[in-house]
Amino acid sequence: MTRIAPGELHKFNADPIDTVDYHFDLDYVGDGIRDHRLDVLVPHDAVEAAEPLPVYIYFHGGGWTSGDKAPLTKYAASQATEGMVVINANYRMATRFKIGHMLHDANAVLTWVKRHIVEYGGDPTRIVIGGDSAGGHIAALLTAAANDADLAAHFNLDLQIEPGHLRGLVQHCSIADFSVMFERHFVLSLNFLRMLLPERERGTSLRDAARFLSPIEWLDKGFPPVFITTSERDYFYRANLNFIEALRRRSVLVDTVIYGRHRTNTRHTWQQDARHPESQEVYRRLGSFVRKVAALPAQAKQALAQAVPGEPALA
């Protein structure tokens, strides 16, 4: 959730990757505002490839109130070199907008991908969606809504994509369990919940209303494989461990990269900075995850389940 200073754009995007084609600032809604722009990053010759490539859609973090896709260009290009078409998207943010607006924007990105990604060599039936911090939360909540009609109806989402076409979810230092926000001394105050939620109905408690923000509460009607990266230096470390445990209880495939406190390069959303060896390890593992889950028919994903009981070990 750290704000990105203008000068840091150069740091995050130093030494551009030249084996990728860049298509910047495409308007995925058609209203001309920057919050509705996305970038498409494509490996060279992807359009001429024998088969279309899997698609990785990414939403930036920033505490739901700030951030932009631009600092994630190097990250997105690194994933494109792993053999996928990458979408790096903006969305409307608080405090002017609520979580429902953010989900509608994320859904609009999915719809744009369904209609246009073939033009860039991508396969609209093999999509992995992800993000860091707040962006990861939006990706997880949209994935839950794609698999649960009640949650989709709550946010009035008209999903144009089949749930089976969402092959995987990526979480970098995300928060999929909002119950941790009610713990004493948590890094975020409950005002973040109030900021994201529309006005509550009379008699509805904040904890009850927060259930609709918490992806961990919506896992019972199907969920794709998940790749989670976090560390003991991450604000949302405990929320990530809770999410991993809940997914494994339901026999959902979970792959993880989790670093201990001694790894000083692993503060919240470290994955944005390609200079760290810990980031490069995440990129390598993420590429393997996407190839694994997106290369298989949706109905075969359950056969991949490799759940390991107990908490994952720290690296």
Side-chain angles (χ1 to χ4, degrees):
M1 296 197 318
T2 305
R3 290 177 180 268
I4 303 298
E8 290 185 289
L9 277 173
H10 174 74
K11 178 183 74 173
F12 284 125
N13 294 322
D15 303 319
I17 295 173
D18 60 7
T19 57
V20 171
D21 296 327
Y22 298 83
H23 307 271
F24 290 118
D25 286 334
L26 305 180
D27 190 337
Y28 63 85
V29 170
D31 57 9
I33 70 171
R34 180 164 178 78
D35 287 345
H36 288 152
R37 301 291 178 89
L38 59 77
D39 302 337
V40 184
L41 295 87
V42 186
H44 288 343
D45 303 324
V47 177
E48 290 78 25
E51 296 181 353
L53 299 176
V55 180
Y56 179 40
I57 300 173
Y58 198 80
F59 298 102
H60 67 79
W64 302 278
T65 64
S66 64
D68 188 86
K69 60 185 173 60
L72 277 301
T73 300
K74 181 70 173 286
Y75 168 88
S78 297
Q79 306 319 311
T81 63
E82 293 285 340
M84 63 191 85
V85 177
V86 181
I87 305 295
N88 184 20
N90 277 347
Y91 52 89
R92 290 172 292 178
M93 293 176 284
T95 58
R96 182 179 177 189
F97 298 103
K98 305 294 185 181
I99 190 64
H101 299 99
M102 302 174 203
L103 288 173
H104 276 264
D105 288 351
N107 185 39
V109 172
L110 278 177
T111 301
W112 186 93
V113 166
K114 178 181 178 180
R115 294 173 178 172
H116 298 287
I117 205 62
V118 172
E119 303 165 22
Y120 299 90
D123 185 344
T125 71
R126 296 192 295 148
I127 296 172
V128 175
I129 185 172
D132 62 275
S133 196
H137 166 252
I138 292 166
L141 197 56
L142 185 66
T143 300
N147 288 278
D148 193 302
D150 291 339
L151 183 60
H154 178 81
F155 288 108
N156 195 27
L157 287 170
D158 182 16
L159 288 144
Q160 299 295 307
I161 193 166
E162 296 182 24
H165 294 171
L166 286 179
R167 301 295 188 87
L169 171 68
V170 174
Q171 300 282 277
H172 294 326
C173 297
S174 181
I175 180 168
D177 178 12
F178 271 62
S179 70
V180 299
M181 294 187 69
F182 292 89
E183 298 174 358
R184 291 186 63 187
H185 308 303
F186 188 67
V187 66
L188 300 182
S189 77
L190 291 177
N191 286 331
F192 272 86
L193 290 178
R194 299 183 180 98
M195 172 188 73
L196 292 171
L197 290 166
E199 186 174 347
R200 301 197 305 281
E201 296 180 7
R202 186 180 300 274
T204 302
S205 70
L206 185 61
R207 188 180 289 271
D208 287 343
R211 177 173 177 268
F212 290 96
L213 296 178
S214 197
I216 199 172
E217 301 282 354
W218 302 89
L219 302 179
D220 290 334
K221 295 185 179 179
F223 219 79
V226 185
F227 178 55
I228 297 174
T229 68
T230 186
S231 80
E232 288 187 310
R233 290 177 175 269
D234 178 16
Y235 305 136
F236 300 153
Y237 175 64
R238 175 51 57 184
N240 277 277
L241 294 189
N242 293 347
F243 194 39
I244 292 166
E245 181 182 357
L247 290 164
R248 286 180 169 159
R249 282 201 308 267
R250 292 163 176 81
S251 298
V252 177
L253 170 69
V254 186
D255 194 4
T256 64
V257 174
I258 303 177
Y259 288 111
R261 184 167 295 277
H262 64 287
R263 305 296 284 265
T264 57
N265 292 328
T266 61
R267 296 184 183 277
H268 186 66
T269 67
W270 85 86
Q271 302 91 340
Q272 294 181 355
D273 194 337
R275 299 174 303 169
H276 300 318
E278 292 86 355
S279 298
Q280 291 299 322
E281 174 65 9
V282 167
Y283 301 171
R284 183 186 68 79
R285 292 278 297 277
L286 192 154
S288 175
F289 173 80
V290 172
R291 286 189 295 272
K292 179 167 57 177
V293 301
L296 296 172
Q299 62 268 27
K301 289 185 298 189
Q302 192 65 26
L304 279 176
Q306 301 170 352
V308 178
E311 283 195 357
L314 301 178

